[in-house]
């Protein structure tokens, strides 16, 4: 009994070590930490990216971190063009010369300047590819039979009703359904989502309640508190497609180095990062995670987010390698070889690997 308690304590200690959340040890800079003010009237007109007084930039043109090579920043990901960041959240030029601790993604601005624009869907083939990838059904052929659970999972990823008496029986029939459906996973041109600093969000919320004379057309989101609906909104704000909000919130979680995603959430992020390969995403995500208070020791292949970061043909082997590495690390902490561990456990009914497999 004492031996079991000791083993349990050791296992808990290993888990605590694996779960310890802290930024990687790097030489972080704290220069220029204060927020830079900007005139809220800029929200009354379409964005002027690159203008000196404009406070936002597309994430695909600046949301990355310093990688140790002066003036050679880490490559940005191909974020959707409507996904922005404020200079007060992360200055574009910081990535050129110094490592910064990153702020958590807490508040998101939804901004729709100008007249309402048409809604645009994802091409059915592209949407289906992302859903299949998110559900890890890459081995299925287009005419292979889908189980009820598989069909339901794919429909949920695509934000389609799942209450039909008979769902699609194959990927081919699902694609036919998508081609007959309204726009799939729609977003609206001219509608933007922007990562804000906490101070910016506080001032914008106050401005919303002041009801200024110029148009705002904004809503503030706090996804961790209110999922899918605004924390506050201006009187002239009009809602857009629900999928657009959902996708923006999941992109925020991805940028925040979160690791736990459902298939539905993975599908949305995948569609918004379709311009970047898994290798590019993985390099970006790991580099950004190093600058956040996160569990740094977790190998990427063991995480749910690996669906976005590791190609499907490599993921199974990577997960197996990750599991083996974790077993070896645990045994090292206990001062045991695989053979010794197997010898201690043999006959107790709790080991399902033979000595050769453990030692491999």
């Amino acid at each position: 009994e004492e031996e079991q308690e000791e083993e349990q304590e050791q296992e808990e200690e290993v888990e605590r070590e694996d779960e310890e959340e802290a930024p990687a040890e790097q030489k972080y800079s704290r220069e220029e930490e204060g927020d830079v003010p900007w005139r809220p009237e800029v929200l009354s007109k379409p964005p002027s990216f690159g203008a000196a007084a404009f406070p936002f930039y597309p994430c695909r043109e600046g949301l990355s971190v310093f990688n140790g090579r002066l003036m050679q920043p880490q490559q940005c990901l191909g974020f959707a063009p409507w996904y922005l960041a404020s200079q007060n959240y992360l200055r574009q030029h910081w990535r050129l010369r110094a490592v910064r601790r990153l702020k958590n993604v807490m508040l998101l601005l939804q901004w729709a300047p100008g007249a309402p624009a048409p809604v645009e869907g994802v091409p059915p083939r592209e949407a289906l590819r992302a859903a299949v990838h998110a559900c890890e059904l890459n081995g299925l052929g287009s005419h292979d039979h889908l189980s009820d659970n598989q069909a339901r999972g794919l429909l949920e990823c695509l934000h389609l009703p799942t209450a039909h008496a008979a769902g699609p029986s194959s990927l081919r029939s699902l694609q036919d359904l998508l081609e007959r459906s309204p726009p799939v996973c729609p977003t609206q041109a001219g509608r933007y989502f922007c990562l804000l600093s906490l101070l910016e969000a506080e001032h914008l919320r106050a401005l919303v309640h002041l009801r200024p004379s110029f148009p705002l057309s904004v809503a503030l989101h706090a996804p961790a508190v209110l999922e899918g609906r605004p924390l506050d909104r201006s009187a002239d704000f009009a809602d857009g497609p629900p999928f657009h909000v959902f996708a923006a919130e999941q992109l925020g979680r991805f940028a925040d180095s979160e690791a736990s995603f459902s298939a539905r959430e993975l599908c949305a992020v995948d569609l918004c990062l379709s311009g970047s390969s898994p290798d590019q995403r993985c390099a970006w995500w790991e580099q950004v995670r190093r600058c956040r208070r996160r569990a740094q020791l977790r190998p990427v292949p063991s995480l749910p987010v690996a669906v976005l970061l590791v190609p499907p043909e490599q993921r199974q082997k990577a997960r197996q390698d990750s599991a083996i590495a974790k077993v070896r690390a645990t045994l090292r902490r206990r001062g045991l070889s695989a053979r010794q561990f197997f010898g201690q456990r043999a006959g107790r009914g709790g080991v399902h690997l033979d000595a050769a497999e453990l030692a491999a």
Side-chain angles (χ1 to χ4, degrees), residues 34-38 55 86-91 94 103 197 200:
D35 280 35
V36 176
W38 47 271
S86 164
Q87 298 284 0
N88 288 321
Y89 175 76
L90 182 68
R91 308 249 207 289
W94 282 349
K103 302 170 185 175
S197 72
E200 281 177 315

Side-chain angles (χ1 to χ4, degrees), residues 64-276:
S64 66
V65 296
F66 183 65
N67 60 5
R69 297 192 295 273
L70 199 63
M71 303 304 290
Q72 297 180 41
Q74 179 201 32
Q75 183 179 0
C76 297
L77 293 184
F79 286 98
W82 45 260
Y83 201 65
L84 316 178
S86 164
Q87 298 284 0
N88 288 321
Y89 175 76
L90 182 68
R91 308 249 207 289
Q92 276 176 296
H93 66 266
W94 282 349
R95 64 198 180 106
L96 299 174
R97 61 190 188 201
V99 182
R100 296 278 179 159
R101 284 283 306 278
L102 295 181
K103 302 170 185 175
N104 288 340
V105 176
M106 298 176 63
L107 291 150
L108 193 63
L109 173 70
Q110 184 180 176
W111 173 42
V119 167
E120 302 169 350
V122 177
R125 185 181 295 274
E126 175 66 14
L128 183 57
R129 179 208 60 78
V132 167
H133 187 58
C135 293
E136 302 196 63
L137 298 175
N138 301 81
L140 278 179
S142 60
H143 295 285
D144 288 347
H145 177 73
L146 289 175
S147 69
D148 289 344
N149 285 340
Q150 289 172 336
R152 188 179 303 110
L154 291 168
L155 290 171
E156 287 176 352
C157 283
L158 297 167
H159 293 248
L160 294 174
T162 59
H164 296 302
S169 59
S170 67
L171 295 180
R172 177 70 257 180
S173 63
L174 178 52
Q175 184 169 330
D176 292 341
L177 173 64
L178 295 179
E179 289 172 352
R180 297 192 305 269
S181 299
V184 181
C185 300
T187 57
Q188 188 174 36
R191 184 175 295 270
Y192 302 92
F193 290 81
C194 182
L195 303 175
L196 296 177
S197 72
L198 183 58
L199 186 62
E200 281 177 315
E202 289 174 348
H203 282 75
L204 274 175
R205 193 174 189 192
L207 182 66
V208 163
H209 289 273
L210 285 174
R211 296 178 178 267
S213 58
F214 53 87
L216 280 177
S217 298
V218 299
L220 284 169
H221 293 261
V225 180
L226 292 173
E227 188 176 336
R229 57 193 180 96
L231 175 68
D232 216 335
R233 59 199 293 165
S234 62
D236 58 348
F237 177 78
D239 289 317
F243 173 80
H244 206 165
V245 177
F246 180 82
E249 291 183 348
Q250 302 316 314
L251 272 179
R253 295 181 60 229
F254 179 80
D256 206 29
S257 306
E258 289 200 28
S260 182
F261 289 82
S262 68
R264 193 170 189 248
E265 294 163 348
L266 289 167
C267 182
V269 177
D270 194 11
L271 287 171
C272 296
L273 294 176
S274 58
S276 298

Side-chain angles (χ1 to χ4, degrees), residues 334-346:
R334 295 184 178 187
L336 293 173
S337 69
R339 192 173 297 278
Q340 288 171 327
F341 175 74
F342 180 77
Q344 288 180 5
R345 294 287 184 171

Side-chain angles (χ1 to χ4, degrees), residues 277-296:
S277 69
D279 288 343
Q280 291 170 331
R281 297 176 187 179
C282 190
W284 184 93
W285 191 87
E286 288 194 287
Q287 195 74 21
V288 168
R289 179 175 67 165
R290 288 173 56 81
C291 300
R292 296 191 184 281
R293 186 180 291 276
R294 299 291 182 267
Q296 305 291 336

